[in-house]
Each structure stands twice: as C-alpha cells, then as structure tokens.
Amino acid sequence: KANMRSPGPKLMAGFCRQIAPIVRVDDCLVIVLQHVIANTSGQGAAWVEDGGEKVKYHADVRMRIKYIDRWKDGENLIGQIIHWEVVKSALGAPVMQFDSYLRYGYGLDDVWEISNIACDIGLIKKAGAWFSLLWCQGEAEEPTKVQGQEKLYQWLKSNPEQYNDLY
C-alpha cells in the first residue's frame, strides 16, 4: 500500500537506464511517445510529460505537437498538418517550429515536405501558382514548370531520379 503511484514513470526510468548505453554505441533511433498532462500544481510549466523526468535527460531531441490542422485538397480532406515545436535539441536552437504532413493512407509525406523545403531555400521558385524546378534545369534554357502544388507533388512522385537529386 505504500507504493500507490502509477508504474509508468518507474518503467520509463528503467528503460532509459538500460537502453541509453546501447543507443549511443549502435547509432540507433528510439522514438518515445509520451502523454502530456496539465500541471495543476501552479509551479513550473503548464504542461508536463506523464512518465517522469528520466526521458527528458536522456533525449537528444524533444518535440511537442502544438496543434493539428486539417489538410485539404479543395474540398477533400487528405490528411493532417502537424505543427511541431522543438523543446530541446542537441542539433540546434530549441523553440524551433516546423510542420509535418500526414497523408491518409500513406503516412508522413516526405515528398510534400521536401517540396516545401525546396521552395523555402530557393531550389524551386514559386510565382503565384507556378513552380519552376530550378535544380533540374540542366542544359535547358527554361526550367521545368508545373502549375499548382499538387501537380508539383505528382511530378516529383513520377520522376524519382529528379526527386532523389532534390532530396
């Protein structure tokens, strides 16, 4: 009767203690999903992970979903746009935000995300609804152009060699 607390944090601490030395040596990726609960104590952060503090200290990157939007193509719901916030990162500055695209029947849509990143860094030039594919211009005087992001997506899916070059 002395230990009436949930076994979750204790199990998570044991898992972290056992797996931490292995992950660093074997260059593995371990993804842990935790439930977030409201901190009703009035002290510290408004939200805390339900599972103890152990994961916080062993994680190289900690991300939290801020909110989720519907991802539509016209009137059709095709997935969800997940808005992330990086809470802690060994790779760069924390409090960075980014989006992931979860396409129904497919999963996280890497092609859509790569096309968005390519637009942001200038490999694909966007002018209105037109996309100019600058990285695969080659000897041609004019770059390949497509109209609409869905057409860009279909072009990248149907040209895997150019997509790999872009990636």
Side-chain angles (χ1 to χ4, degrees):
K1 289 190 173 194
N3 191 2
M4 297 300 288
R5 297 185 67 195
S6 168
K10 199 171 190 176
L11 286 170
M12 190 68 75
F15 173 78
C16 288
R17 214 174 13 261
Q18 302 250 338
I19 199 74
I22 298 167
V23 171
R24 289 188 186 104
V25 172
D26 293 338
D27 196 27
C28 297
L29 174 65
V30 177
I31 297 173
V32 177
L33 301 176
Q34 283 190 293
H35 182 243
V36 177
I37 59 174
N39 181 3
T40 57
S41 72
Q43 306 293 321
W47 303 96
V48 293
E49 286 78 11
D50 182 24
E53 299 290 316
K54 206 65 153 173
V55 172
K56 288 182 183 181
Y57 299 111
H58 281 81
D60 289 329
V61 178
R62 282 183 46 230
M63 300 181 301
R64 184 173 289 156
I65 295 174
K66 291 191 65 138
Y67 60 96
I68 298 174
D69 285 329
R70 293 176 179 205
W71 183 18
K72 290 185 172 187
D73 181 24
E75 290 298 314
N76 297 329
L77 184 64
I78 59 172
Q80 296 176 337
I81 303 171
I82 305 167
H83 303 276
W84 296 90
E85 177 183 46
V86 177
V87 178
K88 173 194 170 206
S89 174
L91 305 173
V95 194
M96 182 175 69
Q97 297 181 6
F98 64 95
D99 299 333
S100 288
Y101 295 84
L102 180 65
R103 187 180 291 265
Y104 295 145
Y106 181 82
L108 289 176
D109 199 334
D110 55 334
V111 177
W112 194 272
E113 290 185 31
I114 291 294
S115 68
N116 284 339
I117 293 169
C119 287
D120 291 343
I121 64 174
L123 292 173
I124 296 176
K125 182 180 176 189
K126 183 177 179 189
W130 286 94
F131 293 86
S132 300
L133 314 177
L134 303 176
W135 88 96
C136 67
Q137 187 171 349
E139 298 296 319
E141 290 183 24
E142 287 289 318
T144 303
K145 292 184 178 182
V146 293
Q147 186 177 18
Q149 193 161 7
E150 189 60 37
K151 291 246 172 69
L152 172 63
Y153 175 79
Q154 295 302 329
W155 189 90
L156 290 170
K157 294 282 277 184
S158 62
N159 293 286
E161 188 174 312
Q162 282 83 2
Y163 170 74
N164 288 336
D165 289 346
L166 176 62
Y167 185 83

